[in-house]
Amino acid sequence: MNKNKVDLSAVIRKIPVFLQLFLNFCLVILALILSFLLVKEIVVFFEILMTRGSSDYKLFLENILIFFLYFEFITMIVKYFKEDYHFPLRYFIYIGITAMIRLIIVEHDHPTDTLIYSLIILILIIGYFIINITPLERPVHLWFFNKKEKK
């Protein structure tokens, strides 16, 4: 009976390690796919420049923003590995702002939608500002952090 408990606890401790390895493998595969799509987007840039000239600036700007979305996702995966398996929240905010700017450029026919997208960008920027002014470590002496000071 005691041996079964030890074996079960050893297996339970290995589950997070296995899941972390699986997650890392999947993120590497995703980074490779995104890298391929990033290179493909560069080919599309050259195709737009060579065939259509500079007359279709909306399409070119849309592709630039798609390029930056790929770039930001790859950068976020790199930061995940560099910062000990942690996604920094600011990268999600960067991606959200870039996606909203892309929507404004691509779908700017309806003024109310453009206003809503602009308000979303403002909210994301305010959130980014709040993240930057918030201290990384919580102070111990505040009453709402139920931690007791070590003496």
Side-chain angles (χ1 to χ4, degrees):
M1 177 77 179
N2 196 13
K3 183 179 180 185
N4 289 339
K5 285 184 180 181
V6 172
D7 291 339
L8 184 61
S9 67
V11 169
I12 289 174
R13 276 187 265 126
K14 290 183 182 184
I15 290 175
V17 173
F18 171 75
L19 291 175
Q20 185 67 52
L21 289 173
F22 179 71
L23 177 66
N24 292 346
F25 174 76
C26 290
L27 281 175
V28 168
I29 297 297
L30 179 64
L32 292 174
I33 291 170
L34 289 173
S35 298
F36 172 76
L37 292 173
L38 188 70
V39 171
K40 188 176 176 185
E41 200 63 39
I42 291 173
V43 172
V44 170
F45 283 149
F46 286 121
E47 184 181 298
I48 290 172
L49 287 175
M50 297 302 170
T51 60
R52 296 185 181 103
S54 61
S55 63
D56 198 3
Y57 70 93
K58 288 181 190 176
L59 180 63
F60 191 70
L61 286 176
E62 179 183 348
N63 285 334
I64 287 174
L65 289 171
I66 290 172
F67 178 85
F68 275 109
L69 285 173
Y70 288 135
F71 185 78
E72 287 173 356
F73 276 114
I74 293 169
T75 304
M76 190 170 61
I77 292 172
V78 169
K79 281 292 186 182
Y80 171 80
F81 288 112
K82 283 186 176 180
E83 294 191 13
D84 295 327
Y85 311 115
H86 170 72
F87 282 116
L89 185 61
R90 67 180 181 272
Y91 284 100
F92 288 111
I93 293 176
Y94 296 155
I95 290 170
I97 291 171
T98 306
M100 288 295 109
I101 290 172
R102 180 184 173 273
L103 279 175
I104 288 173
I105 290 173
V106 173
E107 300 176 15
H108 61 277
D109 297 333
H110 304 289
T112 54
D113 291 343
T114 304
L115 179 66
I116 290 171
Y117 298 149
S118 302
L119 290 174
I120 291 171
I121 291 172
L122 178 66
I123 291 169
L124 288 170
I125 290 171
I126 290 170
Y128 181 75
F129 177 73
I130 290 171
I131 288 172
N132 280 339
I133 64 170
T134 304
L136 292 177
E137 294 192 21
R138 302 281 184 222
V140 183
H141 65 279
L142 295 177
W143 61 271
F144 49 86
F145 295 113
N146 296 322
K147 291 184 178 180
K148 296 179 181 177
E149 291 186 31
K150 294 181 180 179
K151 294 182 180 181

